[in-house]
Amino acid sequence: MSVTVETLEKNMAKLTITVAAEEIEKAMQAVYLKNKGRYSVPGFRKGKVSRTVLERMYGKGLFYEDAVNSVMPEAYAKAVEESGLDVVSEPAINFVETDPEKDLVFTAEVAVKPEVVLGEYKGLEVPKADLTVTEDEVMAIIKKEQEKNAVNKNVEGRAVQSGDITTIDFEGFVDGVAFEGGKGTDYPLTIGSNTFIPGFEDQIIGHEMGTEFDVNVTFPEDYQAEELKGKAAVFKVTVKKIEEKELPELDDEFAAEVSEFETMAEYKAHVEKAEAERKEVAAERAKEEAVINKAVENAQMDIPDAMVVTEANNMIREFAGNLERQGLNMEQYLQYFGQTEDGMREQMKPNALKRIQTRLVLEAIAKAEAFEITEEEVNAEIEKMALQYNMEAEQVKSAVNVEYIKEDIAYNKASKLLVAEAKEV
């Protein structure tokens, strides 16, 4: 095997890889031996047909494609190693010579890791966070807890009001014809939740339990069902039940029921302290993000598109893995949300670019600062991972590339340096 390298624009390179005909011949023979049992030829016992006979019957290239597919990965990996390039994308493969009796020649266009020229990264100015916790914020948190502990109480003798929880039957018609999915029985609907078509819930207000009435609406132009977009519809609606939320009093009894505290004053003090701690953590994260963003803005780098696409593909694989852990799959997700993988990739590209820029800048800072990564730090990180994944430390060490752990430690040190050196204004 041999390789030549051509430098292209914007941190791209083209590898021209040649695999000797002899290697292809060996691979074709291996494919033949593996698959010969699949062929039945009159006059021959199954699995005993010679390769020469099969190639005469089906063509010289019968085993060629599988042979090429078997040798290409190793040939590409060796070519990358020999070239000395730091490849950061999936290769775009093109074939130059595919005659089964000649050397295989193919090209692989790849993105090469860009050089980063750092700008200012110490003493960067970031907005100072307001950590004040107001009375209104405390009460908003307590009222959320109050809402969670509300009970629904049957209402009689009055019409539906905004905020009521109703139970309704309905059936929708377009041009006098009932449409699929437009019927519901004993459907729970909170008035004001805006879960139905705009205007639907408002027209239930004022009607009493047991009454049947018409609701006139127009489906939005962006409605998910193509056949209903922009169409006027009439719903026959019956109110079967009206309930209202009954909120508990915000007193000592409520505090004792929803917390470990006996009085409302103690509970409020606890909520205020917890909110202050939450704001402090959020402020640290916001400060870290802001200072990293500024360091990225101040740096110069030319990110190749292929590198962004590869990162977006990695993000899709991560997302698919998370779905699988929840018992779902990507096909179901895309179908449910009416998306395609290509569309999802386009949506992810901005975040993919940001992830690349952040990683490259933190790596460049770590290199500039010549951070030392000790064995103790690596072992501490392995111990953390072992706890996280419920594994033994030795199992983690054998399963994970230690160099990746060192990189993560270096990135964290660079990030902490940026935060420590930042000026809050």
Side-chain angles (χ1 to χ4, degrees):
M1 188 215 78
S2 63
V3 58
T4 60
V5 180
E6 180 185 351
T7 302
L8 306 176
E9 294 181 347
K10 201 175 180 181
N11 290 307
M12 294 292 292
K14 182 163 78 171
L15 308 178
T16 300
I17 303 161
T18 302
V19 181
E22 291 81 1
E23 290 300 313
I24 300 299
E25 170 56 30
K26 286 180 186 176
M28 288 170 67
Q29 180 65 12
V31 172
Y32 158 71
L33 292 173
K34 182 179 178 182
N35 294 283
K36 64 180 181 177
R38 293 166 48 196
Y39 296 94
S40 295
V41 177
F44 293 88
R45 282 186 296 156
K46 194 170 183 180
K48 298 298 182 179
V49 189
S50 71
R51 181 178 156 193
T52 304
V53 170
L54 289 174
E55 288 180 335
R56 191 181 304 129
M57 291 180 65
Y58 297 104
K60 188 69 177 175
L62 176 61
F63 304 109
Y64 184 73
E65 185 177 343
D66 287 344
V68 168
N69 288 335
S70 71
V71 300
M72 272 184 59
E74 185 179 354
Y76 169 72
K78 284 183 178 178
V80 170
E81 186 178 354
E82 285 185 23
S83 72
L85 297 177
D86 194 346
V87 174
V88 290
S89 76
E90 296 154 357
I93 302 292
N94 283 295
F95 291 97
V96 178
E97 179 57 73
T98 56
D99 186 325
E101 296 183 348
K102 295 182 179 179
D103 294 346
L104 168 69
V105 183
F106 66 97
T107 63
E109 287 196 20
V110 294
V112 180
K113 188 175 182 179
E115 181 184 352
V116 177
V117 180
L118 290 172
E120 289 294 328
Y121 62 87
K122 291 183 180 179
L124 299 176
E125 294 184 348
V126 292
K128 188 171 185 177
D130 181 4
L131 300 179
T132 306
V133 178
T134 66
E135 175 74 11
D136 285 346
E137 288 172 329
V138 171
M139 288 311 299
I141 294 168
I142 291 173
K143 283 177 180 176
K144 278 185 183 177
E145 195 64 37
Q146 183 189 32
E147 286 279 345
K148 281 161 56 177
N149 286 271
V151 294
N152 295 341
K153 179 182 175 184
N154 286 333
V155 172
E156 295 179 1
R158 72 160 172 82
V160 176
Q161 298 176 356
S162 181
D164 284 345
I165 302 103
T166 65
T167 301
I168 63 171
D169 289 348
F170 62 88
E171 185 170 15
F173 300 83
V174 172
D175 297 329
V177 180
F179 57 87
E180 187 178 352
K183 187 174 182 179
T185 302
D186 292 333
Y187 190 91
L189 177 63
T190 300
I191 306 303
S193 62
N194 298 317
T195 54
F196 262 45
I197 307 159
F200 186 99
E201 294 169 28
D202 293 340
Q203 294 178 58
I204 296 178
I205 294 172
H207 291 281
E208 295 186 353
M209 189 165 60
T211 58
E212 183 180 327
F213 52 92
D214 290 348
V215 168
N216 296 279
V217 294
T218 300
F219 283 94
E221 292 293 342
D222 60 352
Y223 194 69
Q224 63 265 27
E226 190 68 35
E227 67 278 9
L228 296 177
K229 288 181 178 180
K231 293 286 182 69
V234 178
F235 283 85
K236 302 288 184 184
V237 179
T238 302
V239 177
K240 299 176 75 174
K241 190 176 182 182
I242 305 172
E243 297 174 294
E244 63 182 358
K245 276 186 181 178
E246 189 173 74
L247 298 171
E249 291 292 327
L250 296 179
D251 52 19
D252 291 348
E253 185 179 341
F254 171 78
E257 190 172 319
V258 301
S259 73
E260 59 188 281
F261 304 99
E262 295 298 322
T263 68
M264 194 65 186
E266 290 175 314
Y267 178 49
K268 281 180 70 175
H270 165 74
V271 169
E272 182 176 0
K273 181 184 177 186
E275 179 62 8
E277 291 171 353
R278 186 201 67 78
K279 280 193 169 188
E280 191 173 342
V281 171
E284 282 300 309
R285 286 179 182 158
K287 181 179 179 181
E288 181 180 35
E289 184 176 0
V291 75
I292 289 174
N293 287 343
K294 281 210 166 187
V296 168
E297 287 173 15
N298 292 344
Q300 295 177 27
M301 59 194 123
D302 195 2
I303 309 297
D305 293 338
M307 188 178 185
V308 177
V309 171
T310 296
E311 186 68 23
N313 287 338
N314 290 337
M315 292 169 70
I316 289 174
R317 281 191 283 270
E318 289 171 15
F319 186 76
N322 290 334
L323 286 178
E324 286 176 12
R325 282 187 282 277
Q326 298 171 49
L328 302 171
N329 61 51
M330 182 63 80
E331 187 179 348
Q332 291 170 328
Y333 175 87
L334 294 174
Q335 187 174 6
Y336 183 81
F337 288 99
Q339 280 190 307
T340 64
E341 191 169 311
D342 286 342
M344 192 175 186
R345 185 178 296 105
E346 286 302 313
Q347 289 178 359
M348 286 185 167
K349 277 184 179 180
N351 282 338
L353 175 60
K354 186 175 181 180
R355 271 174 44 159
I356 292 167
Q357 291 171 327
T358 297
R359 188 168 63 240
L360 289 176
V361 167
L362 291 177
E363 181 183 349
I365 292 170
K367 188 176 180 180
E369 295 292 327
F371 291 135
E372 181 186 352
I373 311 298
T374 66
E375 188 176 346
E376 288 76 14
E377 288 172 322
V378 172
N379 289 335
E381 193 63 31
I382 288 172
E383 289 290 345
K384 274 200 290 186
M385 292 173 70
L387 283 173
Q388 182 181 352
Y389 296 109
N390 195 26
M391 296 169 65
E392 295 293 329
E394 286 303 317
Q395 288 178 297
V396 174
K397 196 177 288 188
S398 61
V400 178
N401 189 329
V402 174
E403 290 305 312
Y404 291 156
I405 295 175
K406 289 180 178 179
E407 284 178 8
D408 284 341
I409 294 170
Y411 296 158
N412 287 333
K413 286 191 174 190
S415 179
K416 287 177 181 177
L417 173 71
L418 292 175
V419 172
E421 295 283 343
K423 298 175 184 176
E424 293 183 313
V425 293

